[in-house]
Amino acid sequence: MAWAALPILFLAFALFLPLGEVFRLGLRAEGGWTADRLRELLADPYVRGLLRFTFEQALLSTALSLVLGFPLGWLLTRYRFPGREALRAATLVPFVLPPITVALGFILFFGHAGYLNGFLQGLLGLSEPPVRVLYTLWGIVLAHAFYNAPVVARFVHASWEAQDPSQVEAARVLGAGRLRAFLTVTLPGLVPGLLSACALVFLLCTLSFAIPLALGGAQYATIEVGVYHRARVEVDLPGAAALALVVLAFSLLLTYLYLRGGGLVQARTAREREQPAVPLLDRKRPGRLLWVLYLLPAALLFLGPIGAVVADSFLRPAPGGRSPTLHWYGIALSADPTPFLGASPLGSILTSLGVALAAAGGALALGLAVVAALRRLRSRALETLLMAPLGVSSVVLGLALLLAFRRPPLSLLPSGPLPLAVAHVLLTYPFVVRAVGPLWESLDPHLAEAARTLGASRLRAFLTVELPLLRPGLLLAGALAFSLSLGEMTAAAMLARPGVNTIPLAIYQFLSARRFGAASAMATLLMAATAVVVWAWDRAGSRWLGRTRA
Amino acid sequence: MKRLLVLVGAAFLALYAWGTELVVYTYDSFVSWGPALAIKEAFERAHPGVKLVWIAPGDSSEMLARLIAELELGLPTADVFVGLADVEVPRALARNVFRPLDPGRLQNLRDVPPELRIGGDRFVVPYDHGYVTLVYDARALPEELVPRTLTDLLRPELKGKIVLQDPRTSSPGLSFFLWTIVRYGEGWPAFWEKLLRNVLTVTRGWSESFDMLEAGEAPIGVSYATDEAYAQITYGERRFRVLTPEGEGFRQVEYMGIVRTTTKVELAHALLDLILSPEIQELIPTSQWMFPANARARVPEEFARYAVIPARPVTLDPETIAQNLSGWLRTWQGLLGR
Amino acid sequence: MLELAGLWKRFGDVTAVADFSLAVGRGELLALLGPSGCGKTTVLRIVAGLESPDAGRVLLEGQDVTAWPPEKRGIGLVFQNYALFPHLSVAGNVAYGLRTGGDRRGRVRELLELVGLSGYERRRPHQLSAGQQQRVALARALAREPRVLLLDEPLSALDAALRKELRGELRRLLKKLGMTAIYVTHDQEEALALADRVGVMREGRLEGVDTPEGLYRRPRTPFVASFLGRANLWPGWVVGVDGDRALVEVAGVRIPAERGEAEAGDEVLLFFRPEWVEVGEGPLAAEVEGAEYLGDRWELRARCSGLPLVLVTPKRPDGSRVSFALATARAVRPGDPASSPRSR
């Protein structure tokens, strides 16, 4: 029991007590508990609009992600071409790419005065910008597809790779044509993976924050943005808490459905052969060049915004008109306070790094404690309890901590960046559990026992035998937690306070103040940091981490 | 002995003063356009050892929200708030964010005409004024598409060409919103429902929307009646033209006050008085692009020539605003979801 | 030295160990033999302290250690898969259990010399052959000079030839050290060749403990009889007893046999090994149904008055009918099915 006590105690103070505050504020009025505020909220046309828009855009985003992601998964599975491995690794990028950098990239690339329209207007001699997606519903949907099509592609690739190629061969021998074999054998095998991918994408799009905040203007706000607005702009804390309860209900439901459906995806079965892959470039098969029709627009969508950010950070003319320039990096790394941030850019970077380090350390410790507890007490109820943050959205978590740190006992702690670090620990430790749990499970249990019979206490056996063997997984999970914390903006926006500014918030503030050069320079630095993590991740073993995200 | 005490006391005072920061919240354009940096220089010159820190990551209502949130959550916050539009003052007073002013410490207040001042100068004093109107980019918008009335904004040819500000976060956004309520009365929601479908986007603040005009993202936006003067002086041509539909424009006076939790009452009053001084007030027209509040401040001739003054200024009394604003905004929010 | 008294262990609704009692003397090498899943490994883990019994006690040198954690017991365990620490070198593995201070390096060298792996100190486990890994595991377990050494199928991962070679080596080594040891295996030949005494387990129970020869010649239960080597077990009943002799009637024929624990009138099984059958002249006759040539002998499957019979003979008999006598046989009481801890 002692093993479970530690993580439960932490979660009690860091998660359940704060969530209790949300319930108290959202459901309590003078005289006792009441659902009046909830009823009022659900009758409010604005809130209904938020909910409707949230689900509408999530549905459209899921559909577009599917349309864009399926061919990518297909390409990665069935074709050989130069750069295939790099492309496969690149599908990991969205897992860690901070949404605010994507939003920035979309504004720079798809804006009416952006790179794409500028290029097309110059090319076609148009007076009006031809591509008008930004500031519309489609801008948000496209940004979400940017994010989630690679997720779909990974699921498709994984479940396709898991199929036994002799099934299709059997169908062909039995007289099925190529198309019929695909439709009757291959596709049905992919359906569970596709459903899982759709459920995950829908969940992620429903709880999206930074992209609708930065691209949606006032018209297109999701419920997450709605909670933020109530709490931090209208400063209506009870209203925000009530709305957060609505979000919480949806996020728990969707997470539950996704995790339940996760059982649909077959574990990779032992196969005798790899899926056969044919060369994409084959002089005898010019038909394969039709892939260009997919690859060109896809490249535009995926590379355009990222390229725009990097290009903008060097090419946007400095005051005085110099370009290319490193001026914006000078600003992004400046130690002087900038009024637009309410802090210095360098200070924001240092805060972010400090919070990310603390979050990674905390997530590793908590994640390990949770895995240890779950290994000793195999109980579904305990697992649900210990993995509860999976079902809590970042905005709700941020609000909960914002509220809880106002009152004892948490108000007795030094605040500063602490609430944010706690939020990031809670948001990232499930990844540690997912990365380390299976690894630990795969360790020979006899190793620890051998250590015990050799005179080691349980603690020493853990420290000298199991921990060193878990190190690759821990390093990877720690790096992942670090980069997720570095790019996390939702909880950071909810918990923003004087003196605590982070890199994504600084990018957003520069963006809002239309200081694009500085925003781009900072975003480029952030993307470079996360790229390193992806590279290490892919190198060190996407084998078992690739399937750990939920 | 006595001299020693005085010396030690003075040293302490100097030390104390050396580490002193006066934190001021304002909206972003007061820093990026306005006289904030000149004020900082002048203030720090006059008060050696004191640092003036401007914090401005947002438009006025957003900064006010931040102030309210920090006060209500018990977080550290600003000493002074600069940049509250008249239409936002009721909200600030309702949330009890300011401490009473000591008019005796505001020497320059006597040169501010009484029609700009409200509430007997008890909590806030004005520092500039102007008119919120529509502005269009003469380079980008063909003459035949230029709207002549507010209702013209609903014309399908203008779809996707208009940028507005969110009245919940921006003071010109709020002013424009109240203007439409005065103009259309009970029928304003119907107007807005159609307007929201015709606009390109609704930004959080004025800086964003005006930057979109300048960058060519959109040709029409809500802005200030002084923008022609800005365009003339900046571009040498009147790239931005001011529209006063049927001669109207919404009157805007901007105020400042001292946050109730500050311990630097003396310095805060000194800052307010500095901002009201002719020296700073004369910077307002060509940086802030507003009319100075101090009647003794001189206004450049070119500014005076091109700054448009609407024939029929629109206003709404604070009482009505205080009573109805949250309901109106709620209704407006509801239209967003349609 | 080591005494196990009335051990019980259940996992869910499976009883792994049932009423298990056993005493191992100082310096004795005891093999625990049984089919897989019979609970022998569980007994070992209970002794090591890796499982705690639901009932019963573990006494080490007269001391009740049932509740002691594994690291306090002074017991060495060699795992079936060796469980070498992959992140440590050979020397690191061997030194793991050594106390800090003292001449650790000298001790490691000594131990590696003992198992014939001098010079392998810096290798990693994955750089060793299976046989070498086994020796490292043994050296590691011996490093702490355990009071009792437990070996869990230590040779099962090796090929047949190596297994044979190592088991002799292992026995010599343990005897040289005077080590008290329990050796778990499912390989009867290994158990018989290696141990001073062999205990046979079935479904969590100890069915018999004896010297290898005693167990082979005088099994107490049909299970032990048929698990160790090949056995003929014919149902019959005891017509009469005389001292340690009995007369057993099988299919109408009376056959003299060792009495065992049988009483007159008991239903018994007449037990005899194939090699106890003497083909040629004899009172019994059987129809040969099949013959297998095994190089040095023939093994015949036959039927005698309807009862199955296995016998070995140096040369293949002519014709399909053989006469034979039994050099010796033994009356074995059938097991009492009611007391069997069959639990599923």
Side-chain angles (χ1 to χ4, degrees):
Chain A
M1 230 24 230
W3 282 85
L6 237 63
I8 286 180
L9 201 67
F10 178 82
L11 289 180
F13 281 101
L15 179 67
F16 296 115
L17 178 92
L19 283 179
E21 274 295 290
V22 178
F23 275 91
R24 194 181 64 83
L25 218 59
L27 293 180
R28 218 173 150 88
E30 307 121 59
W33 299 88
T34 167
D36 283 355
R37 209 170 277 127
L38 273 180
R39 258 196 296 278
E40 217 172 276
L41 214 57
L42 292 173
D44 183 340
Y46 176 59
V47 174
R48 290 177 159 207
L50 284 181
L51 287 171
R52 194 170 45 240
F53 174 74
T54 301
F55 292 124
E56 187 186 332
Q57 63 82 19
L59 213 58
L60 290 170
S61 302
T62 308
L64 189 61
S65 302
L66 198 60
V67 169
L68 283 169
F70 189 85
L72 187 58
W74 184 354
L75 193 70
L76 285 172
T77 314
R78 300 305 307 273
Y79 291 97
R80 280 198 311 270
F81 49 92
R84 180 187 180 197
E85 283 312 300
L87 186 60
R88 199 183 49 72
T91 57
L92 284 172
V93 169
F95 285 92
V96 287
L97 190 67
I100 189 64
T101 60
V102 176
L104 174 65
F106 265 64
I107 292 173
L108 293 174
F109 189 68
F110 288 111
H112 293 185
Y115 285 91
L116 181 63
N117 275 318
F119 174 74
L120 289 177
Q121 276 175 283
L123 191 72
L124 307 172
L126 299 172
S127 59
E128 293 274 315
V131 181
R132 294 173 160 272
V133 291
L134 202 66
Y135 313 113
T136 69
L137 165 66
W138 293 102
I140 294 173
V141 168
L142 210 57
H144 283 160
F146 171 99
Y147 245 82
N148 292 305
V151 174
V152 173
R154 277 195 89 75
F155 272 83
V156 169
H157 179 55
S159 33
W160 206 327
E161 275 292 325
Q163 274 186 10
D164 185 350
S166 48
Q167 290 177 0
V168 169
E169 288 162 0
R172 297 295 299 279
V173 172
L174 290 169
R178 201 190 291 269
L179 181 67
R180 192 172 151 226
F182 175 80
L183 291 177
T184 55
V185 178
T186 307
L187 198 57
L190 299 181
V191 164
L194 285 174
L195 284 179
S196 239
C198 287
L200 177 61
V201 171
F202 188 80
L203 173 71
L204 294 174
C205 294
T206 301
L207 301 180
S208 177
F209 175 77
I211 285 174
L213 183 71
L215 298 183
Q219 296 121 298
Y220 303 110
T222 57
I223 29 178
E224 293 269 288
V225 176
V227 175
Y228 167 75
H229 207 275
R230 282 238 163 167
R232 296 309 308 254
V233 180
E234 294 170 52
V235 202
D236 169 13
L237 295 177
L243 193 54
L245 290 179
V246 177
V247 178
L248 187 64
F250 280 115
S251 66
L252 284 174
L253 179 72
L254 289 172
T255 310
Y256 173 77
L257 288 178
Y258 168 66
L259 292 178
R260 271 298 295 271
L264 286 175
V265 186
Q266 294 294 312
R268 197 184 169 111
T269 45
R271 288 168 314 126
E272 278 155 32
R273 285 181 294 141
E274 299 266 304
Q275 284 290 335
V278 296
L280 186 61
L281 305 171
D282 187 339
R283 212 172 298 166
K284 292 192 205 107
R285 296 200 170 259
R288 287 182 191 156
L289 290 176
L290 285 176
W291 273 101
V292 166
L293 293 180
Y294 167 75
L295 285 171
L296 271 187
L300 205 66
L301 172 65
F302 290 112
L303 299 180
I306 293 183
V309 172
V310 177
D312 195 67
S313 72
F314 294 108
L315 297 182
R316 183 165 292 265
R322 266 176 61 93
S323 168
T325 173
L326 289 175
H327 171 80
W328 304 113
Y329 284 92
I331 291 190
L333 293 170
S334 156
D336 296 328
T338 309
F340 310 111
L341 307 189
S344 76
L346 189 65
S348 307
I349 292 175
L350 293 178
T351 306
S352 260
L353 290 177
V355 167
L357 269 180
L364 284 180
L366 183 59
L368 268 179
V370 166
V371 175
L374 291 178
R375 280 171 60 82
R376 293 194 68 77
L377 308 165
R378 288 173 197 273
S379 133
R380 269 205 83 80
L382 183 69
E383 188 178 349
T384 309
L385 191 72
L386 290 179
M387 296 297 272
L390 277 181
V392 181
S393 80
S394 312
V395 151
V396 175
L397 187 63
L399 178 68
L401 288 167
L402 183 72
L403 296 176
F405 267 88
R406 293 186 309 163
R407 289 157 58 94
L410 295 188
S411 61
L412 304 175
L413 295 171
S415 46
L418 182 68
L420 184 57
V422 170
H424 285 180
V425 167
L426 291 172
L427 290 173
T428 55
Y429 85 83
F431 297 104
V432 178
V433 174
R434 296 234 152 189
V436 175
L439 185 62
W440 203 341
E441 208 61 40
S442 74
L443 286 191
D444 181 358
H446 291 152
L447 291 175
E449 291 176 353
R452 297 295 301 281
T453 64
L454 292 169
S457 64
R458 185 176 287 164
L459 183 66
R460 183 172 167 234
F462 172 73
L463 291 178
T464 57
V465 175
E466 288 174 310
L467 199 59
L469 293 172
L470 295 176
R471 195 162 55 194
L474 288 172
L475 281 179
L476 224 48
L480 188 61
F482 182 82
S483 68
L484 286 175
S485 165
L486 215 53
E488 203 279 343
M489 185 175 121
T490 315
M494 287 302 291
L495 292 168
R497 50 159 61 216
V500 182
N501 211 53
T502 65
I503 299 174
L505 281 179
I507 295 172
Y508 176 58
Q509 288 153 347
F510 275 133
L511 177 86
S512 295
R514 309 291 285 189
R515 294 290 192 273
F516 285 121
S520 297
M522 216 156 198
T524 304
L525 293 175
L526 183 55
M527 290 194 296
T530 50
V532 171
V533 172
V534 172
W535 178 78
W537 184 6
D538 188 64
R539 289 285 310 246
S542 51
R543 259 180 312 117
W544 41 271
L545 267 182
R547 279 171 285 130
T548 56
R549 190 185 192 203
Chain B
M1 187 66 199
K2 216 169 166 183
R3 259 164 72 183
L4 192 69
L5 269 180
V6 170
L7 218 67
V8 170
F12 263 105
L13 266 178
L15 259 179
Y16 171 75
W18 197 254
T20 302
E21 270 189 359
L22 193 68
V23 178
V24 189
Y25 283 5
T26 186
Y27 47 83
D28 43 13
S29 59
F30 194 77
V31 177
S32 51
W33 298 72
L37 298 180
I39 293 170
K40 177 178 165 75
E41 258 171 49
F43 186 79
E44 289 179 356
R45 210 182 317 120
H47 301 85
V50 181
K51 269 183 90 166
L52 180 64
V53 180
W54 289 107
I55 294 184
D59 205 344
S60 56
S61 299
E62 217 174 353
M63 291 308 296
L64 177 61
R66 176 174 165 152
L67 179 67
I68 294 170
E70 283 162 3
L71 287 172
E72 295 190 0
L73 293 167
L75 304 176
T77 189
D79 299 300
V80 176
F81 194 97
V82 174
L84 207 55
D86 43 3
V87 288
E88 291 163 318
V89 170
R91 181 175 177 216
L93 297 184
R95 293 284 193 141
N96 183 29
V97 303
F98 293 122
R99 57 164 288 132
L101 295 173
D102 179 357
R105 297 187 196 179
L106 301 173
Q107 297 296 315
N108 290 310
L109 192 58
R110 60 170 189 261
D111 298 323
V112 177
E115 68 266 22
L116 296 178
R117 292 151 71 169
I118 53 172
D121 304 321
R122 192 163 144 69
F123 291 105
V124 289
V125 287
Y127 63 90
D128 69 11
H129 61 106
Y131 301 89
V132 171
T133 55
L134 292 168
V135 169
Y136 70 94
D137 183 349
R139 290 184 196 166
L141 194 71
E143 190 57 33
E144 66 272 18
L145 289 185
V146 172
R148 300 295 161 203
T149 64
L150 287 183
T151 312
D152 278 353
L153 293 175
L154 305 181
R155 283 161 53 189
E157 304 92 271
L158 293 180
K159 188 169 171 66
K161 294 193 189 308
I162 306 163
V163 276
L164 305 177
Q165 301 93 19
D166 190 335
R168 298 170 304 172
T169 48
S170 156
S171 62
L174 182 58
S175 297
F176 177 73
F177 174 61
L178 294 175
W179 180 10
T180 62
I181 289 178
V182 174
R183 190 81 194 72
Y184 294 98
E186 295 291 308
W188 72 264
F191 169 77
W192 269 94
E193 201 179 335
K194 292 183 204 122
L195 181 60
L196 283 171
R197 265 188 251 133
N198 226 28
V199 301
L200 176 61
T201 191
V202 181
T203 64
R204 286 197 312 152
W206 175 84
S207 294
E208 263 172 285
S209 63
F210 195 73
D211 190 80
M212 287 175 72
L213 289 184
E214 288 216 290
E217 290 267 321
I220 308 176
V222 168
S223 188
Y224 289 92
T226 43
D227 285 354
E228 263 183 57
Y230 159 71
Q232 180 63 38
I233 292 169
T234 310
Y235 294 97
E237 58 161 324
R238 290 183 296 142
R239 176 183 165 192
F240 297 112
R241 302 286 172 83
V242 168
L243 288 169
T244 50
E246 299 165 81
E248 289 184 352
F250 198 85
R251 182 98 175 100
Q252 189 179 75
V253 186
E254 296 192 282
Y255 294 87
M256 52 191 175
I258 299 176
V259 179
R260 71 167 144 85
T261 50
T262 187
T263 53
K264 295 150 200 160
V265 180
E266 194 94 24
L267 285 172
H269 278 94
L271 176 67
L272 263 46
D273 201 38
L274 175 70
I275 295 174
L276 290 178
S277 69
E279 176 199 353
I280 298 298
Q281 286 284 305
E282 281 173 8
L283 298 174
I284 289 209
T286 53
S287 65
Q288 180 69 1
W289 304 98
M290 293 287 268
F291 294 98
N294 188 324
R296 278 175 49 213
R298 281 161 303 161
V299 173
E301 191 201 336
E302 212 172 8
F303 178 87
R305 177 135 51 98
Y306 290 105
V308 176
I309 296 178
R312 295 163 54 197
V314 182
T315 56
L316 197 57
D317 68 286
E319 196 58 26
T320 313
I321 293 174
Q323 272 171 17
N324 298 301
L325 186 58
S326 61
W328 285 336
L329 285 177
R330 198 127 290 189
T331 309
W332 182 84
Q333 277 193 150
L335 299 174
L336 290 174
R338 296 281 164 85
Chain C
M1 181 69 198
L2 172 69
E3 198 186 334
L4 310 176
L7 295 177
W8 283 85
K9 180 74 187 177
R10 294 173 69 86
F11 295 110
D13 48 2
V14 178
T15 304
V17 176
D19 194 20
F20 188 99
S21 298
L22 178 70
V24 186
R26 184 175 299 277
E28 187 181 16
L29 182 47
L30 183 126
L32 215 44
L33 177 67
S36 55
C38 72
K40 51 193 192 302
T41 296
T42 306
V43 171
L44 219 57
R45 293 170 59 82
I46 289 173
V47 175
L50 297 172
E51 304 282 354
S52 57
D54 300 332
R57 293 186 304 155
V58 179
L59 300 167
L60 202 54
E61 293 175 328
Q63 207 167 17
D64 187 345
V65 299
T66 317
W68 290 20
E71 66 267 23
K72 299 267 188 271
R73 296 194 179 193
I75 278 179
L77 175 56
V78 176
F79 288 82
Q80 182 170 9
N81 63 356
Y82 317 135
L84 295 180
F85 305 135
H87 60 297
L88 298 180
S89 64
V90 167
N93 268 279
V94 174
Y96 188 89
L98 293 174
R99 278 155 201 82
T100 45
D103 183 14
R104 281 158 63 97
R105 198 181 301 181
R107 179 86 178 114
V108 169
R109 197 179 317 120
E110 205 175 291
L111 283 158
L112 288 179
E113 206 179 302
L114 190 68
V115 298
L117 282 179
S118 299
Y120 283 76
E121 281 86 346
R122 313 185 68 157
R123 299 271 187 106
R124 292 277 169 154
H126 65 87
Q127 298 170 309
L128 302 177
S129 71
Q132 291 168 332
Q133 291 183 15
Q134 196 275 330
R135 291 166 202 235
V136 175
L138 183 65
R140 185 178 71 175
L142 289 172
R144 280 165 59 85
E145 299 179 348
R147 296 193 276 184
V148 176
L149 182 67
L150 308 173
L151 302 108
D152 186 4
E153 308 238 8
L155 304 179
S156 65
L158 308 176
D159 62 57
L162 190 58
R163 203 152 61 211
K164 226 165 182 165
E165 183 191 324
L166 276 181
R167 78 186 181 211
E169 209 175 283
L170 194 58
R171 180 174 165 88
R172 276 194 297 281
L173 181 63
L174 294 177
K175 282 295 157 193
K176 185 171 109 189
L177 296 170
M179 187 61 67
T180 307
I182 299 181
Y183 186 106
V184 157
T185 179
H186 67 275
D187 180 338
Q188 16 156 328
E189 190 184 314
E190 201 170 286
L192 296 178
L194 198 123
D196 298 330
R197 278 197 302 153
V198 177
V200 176
M201 277 189 78
R202 179 198 186 191
E203 293 177 347
R205 284 178 189 276
L206 193 57
E207 291 247 339
V209 200
D210 204 341
T211 60
E213 201 187 352
L215 213 54
Y216 187 77
R217 288 198 54 89
R218 297 182 294 275
R220 286 180 54 231
T221 66
F223 176 78
V224 175
S226 55
F227 188 72
L228 272 180
R230 311 206 55 175
N232 292 296
L233 289 161
W234 286 356
W237 63 285
V238 179
V239 181
V241 295
D242 175 17
D244 59 356
R245 304 295 299 172
L247 198 59
V248 179
E249 186 179 311
V250 176
V253 184
R254 298 189 170 190
I255 301 170
E258 292 170 16
R259 179 182 163 187
E261 292 158 1
E263 298 293 341
D266 280 359
E267 303 226 337
V268 293
L269 291 166
L270 184 75
F271 156 76
F272 56 95
R273 298 280 177 199
E275 65 269 26
W276 298 349
V277 176
E278 293 174 344
V279 177
E281 294 301 302
L284 299 162
E287 289 292 329
V288 176
E289 293 179 337
E292 268 179 33
Y293 180 56
L294 297 176
D296 56 344
R297 63 191 192 276
W298 283 85
E299 186 175 291
L300 307 184
R301 274 184 297 107
R303 199 161 279 276
C304 172
S305 308
L307 296 165
L309 172 70
V310 179
L311 55 95
V312 294
T313 159
K315 65 182 207 320
R316 185 172 195 173
D318 314 321
S320 64
R321 207 175 161 77
V322 290
S323 295
F324 65 96
L326 294 179
T328 181
R330 188 177 172 85
V332 175
R333 289 207 297 197
D336 178 3
S339 72
S340 155
R342 198 179 295 272
S343 47
R344 262 168 257 232

